[in-house]
Amino acid sequence: MVEPSDILRSVSQMRAPSVTLMMQYVAQKQGVSTGRQVREMFALRYGPGKLLPHEYYRLRVYRRDLSRSDKREFLGDRAAKALNYGLTAPELAGARYMVDQKPVFLALCAASNLACTETQAMYSPRQTVGSWAQLRSAAEIVAFLRHDARYPLYCKPTDSKQSIGGIEIERLDADGHLVFGEGLSGPHIEAFAAEILAKFPSGYLFQTCEAMAKDLRGLAPKGLGPMRLNSILTEQGAPLVFFGSFRMPVDGTESGPTKSKRRYFANLDLEKNEISIAMERTDGAHLIIEHQPVTGTKLPGFKVEQLPDAVALVKAAHMLMPELGIIGWDVALTDKGPLIIEGNGNPSCSHYQLVRGRGIMNAEHRPLFDAAKARADAISAAIKAGNDAWQLGAIRDIVALERGRFNS
């Protein structure tokens, strides 16, 4: 039985290996001297990518096949955040809140007839949003779980990342205890409700648990692995999806007590609608894999038939917040088609960099970022000048504004 205190782990159980151990590993297994590693870490930490030591190792930037210029194309989390934020005019940055607030954006998607995961109820001591049940107390959470919930449920905090605090509930037993996958018994719903209030007082969502589409279950046999898509605004103000990947559980669910201890990442070829390359992290090492470790499904070349529909869906969703230069998306591929799980105004580029083995600021992607940044800067200048022509969205008009061709 799972103890109540373990049901909503607030931190990941995975810990990055120490820098000292990684330095020894890279020197012994990869043939990169410790002196060279130290010099590179120092240079990259204070370079444009602002890589921290653990990012240098996690992204395998120590590799001997990478040139110095190749390594400067990698971004650490700090540099990636600065890049993402710079793609939106600072005067319009409030739109990022709308995307990052899960219940607000899901309600907006639902009201706009954009396919998204179904929310059955939300706990919040103050906020009211959406047409779902509004729960204000532990007693109301208990009543919902006992009488009104349609199982299975996927439950998660309104403001956390990386599946922290998420849990899949199959059903309740006759005594009111949670039952997870494979019949694993959990705490009573009263203990569960008390833990939600203690650990996630700002809010908690209760959603219908979606299953992976049947033709994709060879990728993740027991859980739903989200598809990650990143969309960026072009010079004309239209969204372009430029990166896609899967984060897949190998032999369990995505979160909760039955969470898989193994995961793999798979990059997507957006033109061919297929998996291009996959990687699993095992014992601190990153291994390119050809087959799903449990099902044996061949990964490179695996066709993802719903990918074009998913791309079209997130492009439409991006236009709900056309002020934002870049948005990351989690999408569920189900038998009903693709469903938006959530958006992220500060999307990570680590999946791309890890699996592709190249920095995100490469010759292919840098022009996209430069164009979006120029557009954001031009919009900001137009707003400061008091001219509303930027709302037309055409970059040529915005740039002309900067040159003084319009009267403010």
Side-chain angles (χ1 to χ4, degrees):
M1 178 173 174
V2 180
E3 296 297 326
S5 60
D6 292 332
I7 202 68
L8 298 176
R9 297 178 187 272
S10 59
V11 296
S12 172
Q13 297 303 301
M14 296 183 64
R15 295 289 185 269
S18 73
V19 171
T20 300
L21 290 177
M22 286 304 301
M23 188 177 294
Q24 294 172 354
Y25 171 84
V26 170
Q28 295 171 4
K29 302 294 185 180
Q30 306 296 324
V32 181
S33 70
T34 56
R36 176 174 173 174
Q37 293 177 56
V38 171
R39 290 193 299 271
E40 288 185 343
M41 281 190 283
F42 184 85
L44 294 171
R45 179 166 187 164
Y46 296 100
K50 295 181 172 58
L51 286 174
L52 296 176
H54 74 276
E55 294 170 328
Y56 171 81
Y57 290 113
R58 177 165 58 89
L59 299 175
R60 304 181 300 140
V61 186
Y62 52 78
R63 286 168 27 227
R64 298 174 64 88
D65 61 313
L66 296 173
S67 68
R68 181 177 299 180
S69 60
D70 290 337
K71 296 183 179 190
R72 288 173 62 85
E73 293 175 349
F74 284 81
L75 297 185
D77 289 342
R78 294 178 301 161
K81 182 177 181 179
L83 171 68
N84 291 335
Y85 279 35
L87 303 184
T88 298
E91 295 83 358
L92 304 176
R96 191 175 294 113
Y97 170 86
M98 298 291 288
V99 173
D100 289 341
Q101 278 288 307
K102 296 182 181 71
V104 173
F105 196 71
L106 287 172
L108 182 58
C109 286
S112 303
N113 293 319
L114 293 176
C116 59
T117 50
E118 180 193 21
T119 299
Q120 297 186 28
M122 179 181 79
Y123 162 74
S124 175
R126 300 179 304 277
Q127 189 178 37
T128 298
V129 63
S131 59
W132 45 73
Q134 310 290 330
L135 312 177
R136 302 297 189 200
S137 65
E140 291 185 4
I141 293 175
V142 169
F144 166 76
L145 293 173
R146 190 186 297 276
H147 303 296
D148 301 322
R150 288 176 281 110
Y151 294 91
L153 288 176
Y154 183 73
C155 313
K156 63 182 180 181
T158 58
D159 58 359
S160 72
K161 307 292 183 183
Q162 299 178 341
S163 300
I164 293 174
I167 186 172
E168 297 181 20
I169 305 173
E170 289 290 326
R171 58 184 175 85
L172 296 184
D173 68 14
D175 296 324
H177 288 82
L178 306 181
V179 179
F180 309 113
E182 302 177 359
L184 182 62
S185 179
H188 193 272
I189 51 175
E190 292 182 356
F192 178 49
E195 192 168 0
I196 290 174
L197 268 63
K199 290 187 175 179
F200 303 105
S202 60
Y204 204 75
L205 293 173
F206 301 87
Q207 298 182 309
T208 301
C209 188
E210 301 291 348
M212 184 81 82
K214 291 184 177 66
D215 64 329
L216 298 175
R217 291 179 190 173
L219 302 179
K222 295 183 180 180
L224 189 151
M227 172 186 284
R228 303 291 178 85
L229 297 173
N230 285 5
S231 58
I232 190 170
L233 292 185
T234 63
E235 288 183 349
Q236 291 74 33
L240 170 71
V241 175
F242 69 97
F243 166 60
S245 70
F246 279 122
R247 186 187 73 181
M248 290 291 191
V250 170
D251 55 1
T253 59
E254 178 66 12
S255 58
T258 55
K259 180 177 180 178
S260 177
K261 295 181 180 179
R262 299 172 63 189
R263 280 184 173 79
Y264 69 93
F265 302 94
N267 274 17
L268 296 167
D269 186 320
L270 298 176
E271 294 183 356
K272 296 181 179 179
N273 300 322
E274 65 184 29
I275 292 175
S276 58
I277 187 173
M279 172 180 288
E280 182 185 8
R281 179 176 178 177
T282 304
D283 296 329
H286 299 88
L287 304 176
I288 301 296
I289 57 175
E290 293 289 320
H291 299 86
Q292 209 279 1
V294 172
T295 67
T297 299
K298 186 172 175 22
L299 298 175
F302 185 96
K303 291 294 183 181
V304 183
E305 302 296 342
Q306 293 189 37
L307 182 52
D309 291 338
V311 168
L313 176 62
V314 302
K315 287 169 68 175
H318 196 142
M319 294 310 294
L320 296 176
M321 293 293 159
E323 301 89 351
L324 286 181
I326 189 170
I327 304 177
W329 305 95
D330 280 6
V331 179
L333 301 186
T334 74
D335 287 332
K336 296 177 286 188
L339 303 174
I340 292 174
I341 299 173
E342 62 188 41
N344 185 351
N346 178 32
S348 171
C349 60
S350 62
H351 289 180
Y352 174 91
Q353 296 185 135
L354 175 63
V355 182
R356 290 292 299 274
R358 63 190 301 213
I360 194 72
M361 295 301 287
N362 54 58
E364 178 184 354
H365 291 135
R366 182 182 287 275
L368 297 176
F369 296 128
D370 289 345
K373 180 68 165 62
R375 183 177 185 277
D377 290 345
I379 289 175
S380 180
I383 292 173
K384 290 175 182 176
N387 196 308
D388 292 334
W390 66 270
Q391 297 187 51
L392 299 175
I395 189 65
R396 59 181 181 275
D397 295 336
I398 300 167
V399 173
L401 263 174
E402 281 201 294
R403 295 174 179 170
R405 297 180 184 175
F406 293 86
N407 295 323
S408 61

